[in-house]
Amino acid sequence: MYEAKPLTVAVLLAGAILSGCSGPESSTALVSGTAEKHSAPAVATAETSETAKYVYWGDSHLHSSYSTDAGLFGNTLDPDQAYRFAKGEAVTSSAGVEARIIRPLDWLVVADHAENLGLAPMARESNPALLAHPWGKRFYDAFSSGDFVRAFALWGGAQAKGVDPMPDPALMRTVWDRMLGFAQQHNQPGEFTALLGYEWTSSPGASNLHRVVVFADNEDRVGQILPFSAFDSQDPEKLWDWMASYEQTTGGRVLAIAHNGNLSNGLMFDDVTFSGGDLSADYARRRSRWEPLYEVTQIKGDGEAHPLLSPDDEFADYETWDSGNFGHAPKTGDMLPREYAREALKRGLAYEKKLGANPFKFGLVGASDAHTSLATTREENFFGKATVMEPGNFPYRWEGKLTGTAPLRPGEEDSPDESGLDSLAAGLQGVWATANTREALFDAMMRKETYATTGTRLTVRIFVGFDFVEADLRASDFARRGYARGVPMGGEINGGDPAAAERAPRLMVQAVKDPDGANLDRIQVVKGWVDTDGKTREQVIDVACADGEGGVRAIKTIGGQVRCEAPVGSTVNGDTATYSNSIGATRLQALWQDPDFDPSLRAFYYVRVLEIPTPRWSTYDAVREKRKLPAAIAVEQQDRAYTSPIWYNPAPRD
């Protein structure tokens, strides 16, 4: 069983950032970055304004046995057990392994699939309403006899056709009310938040257009509706219509999180609507309104960037899945720009220039998409995508991969689509909110003041403004100054402000390591813009570097790129699945000013923070199970965080 670990000095440093304290500093230059390894923080000062926010950690995309695919793959843990695990209680996994999260989450969305919600649990309990339905009886007979292949074929065939095999609102109402009841039982404002939500699972041609639907509201409002499913429509615009109707009917609030574009085969950020029409200003405004967030990293691959789209970014090829979609349909290179977050953000700027509205103006979040009821995202306690891939279910955890189509990059082995050793132990979402409540967390998500990590809990805070100075970065009230003179992640800054006098934006960033995890390697600023010829451009700039194996690393221009002068190095021992924090920093921070700023061009900025290398989850498994890793599977990886962007809008022309 996994036990909690003792707090370290990094916890104190993280607390300093949460309250606005930056600690002792020594940097002096405007374009500067500093690092700390073991120094003690200054005393934090309390903030009393509405901008005093804390980072709350959660998973917006976890499945329980109430998702039919999860139930058919052996998950027997209901939402009640999912909440208990997330809150720190020990549970026994569906595979019989006693498990406990190392550090509890602050909040959770149990996002079970709306399509035939609760089918497997109803079969286990011999639900009379299920048995009364002819198709339900056939499913029950196969499921209860242990013929899961036949049961899955019955359900999967209906899913492929997009036709509900058992359209009974009363059945959905039974399960939906149970889910609301579990959430109400576990929601403890100020301590743990059970956000209400579900997954709309649109999969046209087996391509992933899924959205997680999240409500701000309590059970009294959400209980007035039944989830809108892909059986109702696979068109995202129809989902938006339903969301608008929900708000108008109940007085509540709702948002959707699009996810997993790397398995959409070019559909997630397409240049046409679902029905084939051109993107319009109305479409752009509606998409931005109803889908303010994008799930950039999760078990089924990282979706921030792709090496073929960002060849100058040496960290773009992180846990990349580019083999095809759920149906193994081949992927072609022209699909990639419509699948990855950074490229979509750039294309959104181009659309805004053309339409006057940006369809891809989203914040970044991470989530697990685990189908085990267990929100495990740390490398050393990763429980896999589904129950068949949990610890204790060997050899499937290693050998039961689904073979995908040939990847785009020649010479690489086929990649699995959603199982086996290529799965990621990812991801998590950090939310900068005023309180750990449904309303406060939802408010923060709507203003995009959130960020994604690949499973780690490193703390990151950024502000962009025109007037920041070095003293602001060092100040004990760092956050207060950031809000007063700039905007946080997810915000917008506008040109034409007389006070700015068209000066280049200045970005302040502070980052602190995960208290239980690895030191930090570097902080990078990612800039995207549309140039005077209408071409989308990008640049990745290192703005703070920790000490590496070779000692202090300066920032230099190398091959036209602004980079740390050397890699941080690695302390990973693959034979023992261990690493050392003898390199890297517990904290990094920087004040950076855009040297190539053009006030007439639209742009965005976001921050990527890298940790030092650590053993991959599969390495921990290999050592634990005394197995040899396949040559194609990396021994180590570098966890990271991606903040939501901040957009720059040029002054309107006369």
Side-chain angles (χ1 to χ4, degrees):
M1 184 172 71
Y2 299 104
E3 299 290 346
K5 293 185 178 181
L7 299 181
T8 67
V9 67
V11 174
L12 302 177
L13 285 166
I17 282 189
L18 298 185
S19 61
C21 171
S22 65
E25 282 304 330
S26 60
S27 58
T28 57
L30 176 59
V31 183
S32 63
T34 62
E36 288 187 12
K37 295 188 72 170
H38 305 292
S39 56
V43 176
T45 58
E47 296 179 24
T48 57
S49 70
E50 293 182 356
T51 59
K53 300 183 181 71
Y54 298 84
V55 64
Y56 296 103
W57 290 103
D59 186 351
S60 61
H61 188 182
L62 180 72
H63 294 270
S64 78
S65 62
Y66 281 30
S67 288
T68 297
D69 55 351
L72 285 171
F73 277 111
N75 186 351
T76 60
L77 305 183
D78 62 19
D80 176 60
Q81 289 156 301
Y83 288 125
R84 292 184 185 279
F85 181 82
K87 293 166 76 171
E89 294 185 28
V91 303
T92 300
S93 77
S94 301
V97 177
E98 191 174 25
R100 179 178 167 187
I101 197 169
I102 291 175
R103 272 194 291 152
L105 296 178
D106 298 310
W107 58 271
L108 179 68
V109 181
V110 176
D112 283 316
H113 297 290
E115 296 72 28
N116 301 127
L117 185 68
L119 184 59
M122 284 190 290
R124 288 193 183 95
E125 67 191 34
S126 302
N127 185 282
L130 177 69
L131 297 178
H133 193 283
W135 185 92
K137 181 63 166 60
R138 291 199 303 275
F139 177 88
Y140 170 81
D141 290 342
F143 186 86
S144 59
S145 68
D147 190 352
F148 298 117
V149 173
R150 179 166 168 258
F152 192 86
L154 280 168
W155 177 74
Q159 292 285 308
K161 294 177 183 177
V163 177
D164 191 345
M166 200 170 48
D168 187 346
L171 278 175
M172 179 177 277
R173 169 57 63 189
T174 297
V175 182
W176 186 236
D177 285 348
R178 289 183 193 176
M179 291 186 65
L180 298 183
F182 287 135
Q184 186 174 37
Q185 174 188 347
H186 287 283
N187 190 54
Q188 300 167 282
E191 296 183 22
F192 178 85
T193 298
L195 282 163
L196 299 176
Y198 74 92
E199 180 170 344
W200 174 76
T201 321
S202 175
S203 304
S207 293
N208 189 325
L209 285 181
H210 305 179
R211 267 76 168 172
V212 171
V213 178
V214 181
F215 300 91
D217 312 306
N218 294 329
E219 291 74 13
D220 57 345
R221 282 190 170 127
V222 180
Q224 297 177 38
I225 54 90
L226 289 175
F228 184 86
S229 82
F231 291 142
D232 297 309
S233 176
Q234 295 200 78
D235 187 342
E237 292 190 77
K238 299 300 182 183
L239 175 66
W240 305 340
D241 290 340
W242 178 86
M243 294 167 68
S245 176
Y246 166 80
E247 291 197 348
Q248 183 176 12
T249 301
T250 68
R253 294 187 295 160
V254 62
L255 62 81
I257 304 174
H259 67 282
N260 226 63
N262 60 312
L263 293 181
S264 73
N265 269 6
L267 297 185
M268 181 56 74
F269 303 113
D270 209 347
D271 291 310
V272 296
T273 66
F274 186 87
S275 58
D278 293 334
L279 301 193
S280 65
D282 179 65
Y283 173 94
R285 284 190 289 267
R286 294 183 73 213
R287 179 162 183 160
S288 181
R289 162 64 179 86
W290 297 113
E291 299 183 9
L293 302 174
Y294 176 64
E295 188 179 277
V296 70
T297 190
Q298 58 132 280
I299 285 173
K300 298 195 297 292
D302 191 81
E304 184 236 356
H306 191 284
L308 296 182
L309 300 174
S310 302
D312 294 329
D313 179 2
E314 63 270 37
F315 294 103
D317 195 8
Y318 177 73
E319 300 281 3
T320 307
W321 285 26
D322 59 6
S323 297
N325 64 4
F326 287 127
H328 313 293
K331 190 181 297 297
T332 55
D334 64 295
M335 297 175 180
L336 296 181
R338 306 193 303 278
E339 294 186 348
Y340 284 84
R342 187 187 300 172
E343 200 70 19
L345 289 167
K346 289 156 54 181
R347 291 172 53 244
L349 296 179
Y351 270 115
E352 187 166 17
K353 183 176 181 180
K354 175 182 177 182
L355 302 174
N358 185 342
F360 308 137
K361 203 168 206 174
F362 49 77
L364 302 180
V365 306
S368 71
D369 194 15
H371 282 53
T372 60
S373 302
L374 307 175
T376 59
T377 64
R378 294 174 63 103
E379 302 295 326
E380 67 267 45
N381 77 332
F382 179 53
F383 267 67
K385 167 69 172 177
T387 295
V388 293
M389 290 165 272
E390 290 182 15
N393 270 341
F394 293 93
Y396 192 96
R397 184 162 163 93
W398 280 59
E399 300 169 2
K401 298 189 298 182
L402 303 175
T403 302
T405 56
L408 291 175
R409 287 167 285 170
E412 294 187 357
E413 295 184 7
D414 288 2
S415 298
D417 282 339
E418 57 169 326
S419 63
L421 294 179
D422 273 13
S423 297
L424 280 69
L428 277 178
Q429 179 180 353
V431 180
W432 287 102
T434 55
N436 188 7
T437 64
R438 287 170 172 171
E439 182 178 15
L441 292 172
F442 188 91
D443 286 346
M445 291 183 190
M446 283 300 295
R447 64 176 179 265
K448 309 180 184 74
E449 200 170 351
T450 74
Y451 65 101
T453 81
T454 55
T456 180
R457 298 195 196 185
L458 64 92
T459 304
V460 187
R461 201 165 205 175
I462 68 169
F463 296 95
V464 173
F466 294 99
D467 301 313
F468 293 133
V469 295
E470 191 72 18
D472 296 325
L473 186 67
R474 301 193 306 268
S476 60
D477 59 347
F478 163 81
R480 184 190 63 79
R481 295 188 186 203
Y483 286 113
R485 300 165 65 182
V487 297
M489 61 183 77
E492 301 182 35
I493 56 174
N494 299 313
D497 182 353
E502 305 294 17
R503 286 173 285 162
R506 298 179 178 188
L507 184 148
M508 293 198 303
V509 55
Q510 292 188 344
V512 172
K513 73 180 287 291
D514 183 324
D516 299 321
N519 279 347
L520 306 181
D521 167 13
R522 69 187 72 195
I523 296 175
Q524 301 179 303
V525 173
V526 179
K527 177 187 177 183
W529 73 99
V530 178
D531 67 18
T532 54
D533 295 326
K535 182 180 179 181
T536 60
R537 306 283 299 277
E538 69 174 61
Q539 187 178 13
V540 179
I541 307 102
D542 288 1
V543 297
C545 306
D547 293 351
E549 287 181 327
V552 177
R553 297 185 297 161
I555 297 176
K556 297 183 177 181
T557 300
I558 304 171
Q561 307 299 317
V562 181
R563 293 288 187 270
C564 303
E565 62 181 333
V568 71
S570 176
T571 64
V572 171
N573 184 326
D575 294 331
T576 58
T578 57
Y579 72 96
S580 167
N581 273 331
S582 58
I583 59 175
T586 59
R587 187 183 79 179
L588 292 170
Q589 63 183 37
L591 174 64
W592 174 82
Q593 186 171 33
D594 185 353
D596 301 312
F597 177 66
D598 184 332
S600 68
L601 303 179
R602 298 185 185 278
F604 64 79
Y605 306 88
Y606 69 87
V607 164
R608 181 171 67 186
V609 182
L610 301 178
E611 293 183 350
I612 66 171
T614 57
R616 198 175 183 273
W617 72 265
S618 44
T619 303
Y620 284 106
D621 267 21
V623 172
R624 210 160 28 223
E625 301 296 325
K626 297 181 173 59
R627 288 173 174 262
K628 185 178 180 180
L629 277 174
I633 302 300
V635 172
E636 63 186 39
Q637 56 89 50
Q638 283 187 265
D639 272 315
R640 56 201 63 198
Y642 312 119
T643 72
S644 290
I646 293 173
W647 288 266
Y648 168 77
N649 304 312
R653 295 183 178 180
D654 295 333

